[in-house]
Amino acid sequence: MEFPWNFHSSSAISEYHRRHFTDPMITLKRMETKKNSMSTVFLLLGFVICDATTPYASPSSHSGHLKPFGYSGPFRSAAEREGFPAVADFFENYVFAKRPLLMKNAAKSHPAFQLWDDDYFRQKIVTPPMSVRTVKKQSGGVKTPAVSMKLDEFVSRYQAEELYMVNQAPPSILRDIALPKPLQCDAVTPSLLESKFWFSNGGTKSSVHIDEGENIMCVYRGVKTFLLIDPQAAVNGTPVHHDASLYHSIDPDRVDYHKYPTLVGVEYTRVDVAAGDCLYIPVDWIHQVSSVNRNIALTFFFDLRMVDKDRIANCPTDGDFSVTADHFEYLGFDGPKVLRYNLLDLVKDGSISLDDLAAFIAKLFAKIKKEVPSAGITELATSALKLLDKNGNQLVKKDDILQLTDQELTNFRLFVLS
């Protein structure tokens, strides 16, 4: 059975589900796999998957070898609700529990769902120049080539060229979007990080990656297919972990099980997000995304550390679809408030260690895909610690971080990355 990765219709998706989830031979094969499993431990370059089940004589005998990521499962479904849940329900049952949630038809009441066609974009929406990728398949660890163009130029070209607009959503886009109901509360809105706009004629494939923030993605045209892996899921009792890297070097079209043998036994949560649906993805969940047909989506990222958890229970239960997303402040992943929280997370046993700060700085460079020798990272971390030491006592404690102004935090980031 070939995996219909380049879906061209919803019927292809339905046929895949019918064959893969109901075929008795596949079910029997899974039962035999579980019965005859044995344990192995391997280190992956981007994620560490320990003690994975590997029932095959060799990785090349696995049915997913040299096939697309997630080809052979096993699969499970995400939780599903009709529309958006109330704020307290969403946080208590999904965010705090780290459970993905498919919210069917939740975005159909947004103006964008009715308005967003190419003529509307040409005639009604004015944007600044935005980032447009010139390849649709993203490779982990490799900077994706991109150009800059306004939305009207993109609309005139994207059907005939391999273009994929991925950019922070400008106000002219956000005014057609209601802020998702689970985020409409004063206890939550200060945690908003970024809203990102995704637009292509389909056929896009992301790398295998994790996001830095909690994520609600709403699809307005086309279908996006998500394959997710719970980082805390246990294979033979051992959790699946990831390291500091956000992107993995796995080729999502052709997974080499000789190179990545511990993918055997990993369970995938597969979700098809149709036009009008929204999907919540917990932070740190490993995932890969592909798109079908003309495809437009918008993502809202937020930081759970900045949510006032004590006030969640008092949030309104009804959403207001007139509250459009352009009326809110987005902190940015690299903003000073987020950096303050990131530095506070490094405080262990009362202070920040040189090794922990060096690892944090290495992650910053990995994010911008810049290679720096380990000796250079250590030297930089030593100087950076002195910048953070407000009291000059050779220790960087919680109070030192809290006393830093936003400008000082911005200067710290510029110093590290300069």
Side-chain angles (χ1 to χ4, degrees), residues 301-334:
F301 293 102
F302 61 100
D303 193 326
L304 184 57
R305 298 172 300 179
M306 302 180 193
V307 173
D308 189 341
K309 302 173 183 64
D310 293 334
R311 295 173 52 211
I312 288 291
N314 298 322
C315 289
T317 56
D318 296 325
D320 184 351
F321 291 109
S322 68
V323 180
T324 53
D326 57 318
H327 288 100
F328 297 90
E329 177 187 2
Y330 298 85
L331 300 175
F333 287 108
D334 301 325

Side-chain angles (χ1 to χ4, degrees), residues 6-164:
N6 292 314
F7 293 124
H8 295 289
S9 69
S10 59
S11 62
I13 297 172
S14 298
E15 174 64 10
Y16 172 77
H17 277 284
R18 183 190 69 77
R19 295 177 64 189
H20 198 87
F21 288 95
T22 63
D23 191 319
M25 294 304 297
I26 294 176
T27 302
L28 178 60
K29 183 176 180 180
R30 287 178 183 159
M31 292 172 65
E32 293 172 349
T33 294
K34 185 174 181 181
K35 179 179 179 181
N36 298 311
S37 64
M38 56 185 180
S39 296
T40 59
V41 179
F42 293 90
L43 176 66
L44 299 187
L45 293 177
F47 308 117
V48 182
I49 302 180
C50 302
D51 206 19
T53 304
T54 172
Y56 300 91
S58 69
S60 60
S61 67
H62 189 276
S63 57
H65 182 57
L66 302 183
K67 298 294 194 302
F69 181 74
Y71 171 86
S72 57
F75 297 96
R76 65 178 176 181
S77 300
E80 184 175 317
R81 297 277 295 268
E82 182 68 24
F84 286 122
V87 179
D89 183 0
F90 175 70
F91 276 87
E92 290 170 8
N93 292 308
Y94 304 101
V95 179
F96 298 153
K98 296 188 177 296
R99 295 175 60 206
L101 174 65
L102 177 61
M103 294 163 277
K104 295 293 295 181
N105 303 309
K108 286 188 175 179
S109 58
H110 294 180
F113 187 76
Q114 302 297 330
L115 296 174
W116 280 2
D117 58 31
D118 288 354
D119 287 339
Y120 178 80
F121 284 137
R122 288 191 193 95
Q123 299 168 14
K124 301 293 184 180
I125 300 294
V126 177
T127 69
M130 305 218 285
S131 178
V132 176
R133 297 174 182 173
T134 55
V135 294
K136 292 182 179 179
K137 176 183 172 182
Q138 187 179 21
S139 299
V142 178
K143 190 171 183 178
T144 305
V147 296
S148 182
M149 67 181 70
K150 293 184 178 181
L151 183 59
D152 57 349
E153 180 185 356
F154 174 83
V155 168
S156 70
R157 296 172 55 180
Y158 81 104
Q159 292 285 13
E161 301 178 48
E162 186 164 328
L163 299 175
Y164 186 16

Side-chain angles (χ1 to χ4, degrees), residues 99-273:
R99 295 175 60 206
L101 174 65
L102 177 61
M103 294 163 277
K104 295 293 295 181
N105 303 309
K108 286 188 175 179
S109 58
H110 294 180
F113 187 76
Q114 302 297 330
L115 296 174
W116 280 2
D117 58 31
D118 288 354
D119 287 339
Y120 178 80
F121 284 137
R122 288 191 193 95
Q123 299 168 14
K124 301 293 184 180
I125 300 294
V126 177
T127 69
M130 305 218 285
S131 178
V132 176
R133 297 174 182 173
T134 55
V135 294
K136 292 182 179 179
K137 176 183 172 182
Q138 187 179 21
S139 299
V142 178
K143 190 171 183 178
T144 305
V147 296
S148 182
M149 67 181 70
K150 293 184 178 181
L151 183 59
D152 57 349
E153 180 185 356
F154 174 83
V155 168
S156 70
R157 296 172 55 180
Y158 81 104
Q159 292 285 13
E161 301 178 48
E162 186 164 328
L163 299 175
Y164 186 16
M165 179 171 279
V166 181
N167 198 92
Q168 185 167 338
S172 56
I173 293 292
L174 291 176
R175 68 172 60 108
D176 288 338
I177 303 291
L179 188 71
K181 177 181 171 181
L183 305 180
Q184 288 188 21
C185 179
D186 291 342
V188 179
T189 52
S191 73
L192 293 174
L193 295 174
E194 184 179 272
S195 57
K196 186 167 284 187
F197 182 61
W198 313 78
F199 189 0
S200 75
N201 69 347
T204 63
K205 296 179 183 179
S206 79
S207 63
V208 181
H209 65 283
I210 62 172
D211 294 325
E212 296 177 86
E214 311 286 344
N215 176 355
I216 294 177
M217 172 174 274
C218 294
V219 175
Y220 296 93
R221 296 292 184 270
V223 176
K224 285 192 180 293
T225 297
F226 286 76
L227 291 169
L228 305 103
I229 301 174
D230 181 353
Q232 298 304 316
V235 179
N236 286 348
T238 303
V240 176
H241 301 282
H242 68 270
D243 72 0
S245 175
L246 294 181
Y247 296 91
H248 199 330
S249 57
I250 294 173
D251 181 346
D253 282 334
R254 188 178 169 86
V255 179
D256 187 339
Y257 273 75
H258 284 291
K259 190 175 181 180
Y260 306 104
T262 52
L263 283 177
V264 178
V266 168
E267 185 178 51
Y268 301 87
T269 298
R270 179 194 165 93
V271 190
D272 295 316
V273 187

